[in-house]
Amino acid sequence: MAKATNAFDTYSATTNRESLADIIYSLLPDEVPVMSAAGKKNVTNTTFDWSIDALQSASATGELEGDEITADATPAITRASNVCQINRVTARSTGSQEASDMAGATSLLAHSMSMRARELKRNMETAICGAQGSNAGNATTARATRGIESWLATNVSRGTSGANAASATAAPTDGTQRAFTEALLDGVMQSLFDEGADPQLLVVGSFNKGKVSDFTGRANTRQMIDENTVSSSVDIISHDFGQLSVVPSRFSRARSALVLDPSMLSIAYLRDFETFDLAKTSDSSAKAMLVEYGVCMHNEAGHGIVADLTTS
């Protein structure tokens, strides 16, 4: 077939209006499961402290009849500490852009700040779940809060050569990666039970969420929800030592499975989320959003980790 003679086409047109959708399509993966589950508290200093205590080991030994009673030694209460770090995002737009008729938003600056706020939450979740040690900072070094993985030392399963953090300012040593199995999780859950812990969440990356769904108890099992829907995933693990909600996370380390008790974890805020205008030094406007926070690990023995997992 051939084009009709003298038929004017869009390739020659210079005055056709553009077709621009009046909406901005954005991927917004900003779920922060650990921040959402943890408690929240306010602190009054960049370094904050709390106390940790535990019951002594159980004993079946009885006492002598008529025995003279002497006072037992009182165990010391442990003092724990962490540091608040600052996370910040900014956006700037020229006066001309703010005066322009923009598709999908009334203000580029407002739209940008909405996106940056979501990014700020993601940055926080990454630091909270991460392996970084604390850093008190100085005039040239930013403070760093001690992440969850740096705390965990009691109920842990690590690959060959993996090791707990040597100090509060250190990260744990990564070991040889291995496949996530029920046996590895069972060992950590038993350790948690023996410590008296009651974890509620299993936080894993996308690959190991799939591995959980392949655990033996779920293997080859498919549940028909309706004629068009079949479920083959695992969202709750009912275990010999408790029940865990399985939560996929984009911002915890993919090589780690965190076993958490939200009642034993808080996010401490020196400064809660605040938005403010930056000084106007040009024909543009700028805003910043800032938060200052730290991880308050009430008692690390209330949590566990299966570390050094394969991620592909």
Side-chain angles (χ1 to χ4, degrees):
M1 296 182 67
K3 178 184 173 185
T5 303
N6 292 330
F8 191 86
D9 56 30
T10 59
Y11 303 109
S12 303
T14 60
T15 58
N16 289 351
R17 294 184 184 276
E18 66 177 3
S19 177
L20 177 60
D22 195 25
I23 188 171
I24 299 172
Y25 296 95
S26 304
L27 289 175
L28 301 174
D30 62 349
E31 298 88 352
V32 286
V34 175
M35 275 181 63
S36 298
K40 180 178 179 179
K41 61 182 293 185
N42 295 321
V43 294
T44 58
N45 204 321
T46 56
T47 298
F48 56 98
D49 303 86
W50 62 98
S51 299
I52 299 173
D53 204 358
L55 298 175
Q56 298 185 70
S57 300
S59 173
T61 303
E63 310 298 342
L64 291 172
E65 180 180 344
D67 190 26
E68 183 175 349
I69 299 175
T70 57
D72 295 328
T74 301
I77 296 174
T78 303
R79 183 168 176 167
S81 177
N82 205 354
V83 174
C84 287
Q85 77 175 51
I86 300 170
N87 279 79
R88 181 188 67 220
V89 291
T90 60
R92 182 182 292 274
S93 177
T94 67
S96 298
Q97 174 58 47
E98 290 303 289
S100 299
D101 184 11
M102 176 182 173
T106 57
S107 163
L108 177 65
L109 184 58
H111 172 74
S112 296
M113 283 304 296
S114 174
M115 297 295 286
R116 301 297 84 74
R118 294 172 183 270
E119 293 168 1
L120 181 57
K121 289 170 54 182
R122 292 156 45 119
N123 295 344
M124 293 175 66
E125 182 86 349
T126 302
I128 289 165
C129 296
Q132 69 182 17
S134 66
N135 190 324
N138 54 46
T140 58
T141 302
R143 290 192 301 276
T145 194
R146 188 179 186 186
I148 288 174
E149 285 203 40
S150 175
W151 283 97
L152 301 177
T154 303
N155 310 300
V156 301
S157 172
R158 301 192 183 277
T160 303
S161 301
N164 297 337
S167 68
T169 59
T173 301
D174 288 335
T176 303
Q177 291 176 267
R178 65 265 167 85
F180 192 19
T181 65
E182 286 175 270
L184 293 176
L185 180 60
D186 288 348
V188 170
M189 287 295 290
Q190 182 176 345
S191 177
L192 283 157
F193 176 82
D194 290 342
E195 289 291 329
D198 184 25
Q200 305 294 316
L201 293 181
L202 176 63
V203 181
V204 290
S206 58
F207 179 80
N208 283 306
K209 175 62 170 70
K211 286 296 183 182
V212 172
S213 294
D214 290 337
F215 279 1
T216 302
R218 184 62 177 178
N220 302 319
T221 300
R222 300 293 183 268
Q223 180 180 358
M224 181 69 72
I225 297 176
D226 58 40
E227 62 180 354
N228 298 314
T229 306
V230 174
S231 174
S232 62
S233 67
V234 170
D235 297 316
I236 297 177
I237 297 177
S238 185
H239 198 275
D240 288 340
F241 305 110
Q243 185 168 285
L244 295 173
S245 295
V246 186
V247 181
S249 172
R250 296 180 179 91
F251 309 114
S252 60
R253 292 210 299 168
R255 63 183 291 135
S256 302
L258 302 176
V259 186
L260 304 177
D261 179 357
S263 71
M264 285 287 168
L265 178 69
S266 292
I267 310 305
Y269 290 87
L270 179 62
R271 288 186 288 173
D272 211 336
F273 295 90
E274 57 180 279
T275 303
F276 52 91
D277 295 325
L278 298 181
K280 194 172 182 67
T281 58
S282 65
D283 181 20
S284 64
S285 299
K287 290 182 178 290
M289 178 176 285
L290 178 148
V291 63
E292 191 163 3
Y293 67 98
V295 176
C296 183
M297 181 68 76
H298 299 179
N299 192 318
E300 68 81 21
H303 310 277
I305 185 173
V306 184
D308 304 319
L309 301 176
T310 53
T311 58
S312 62

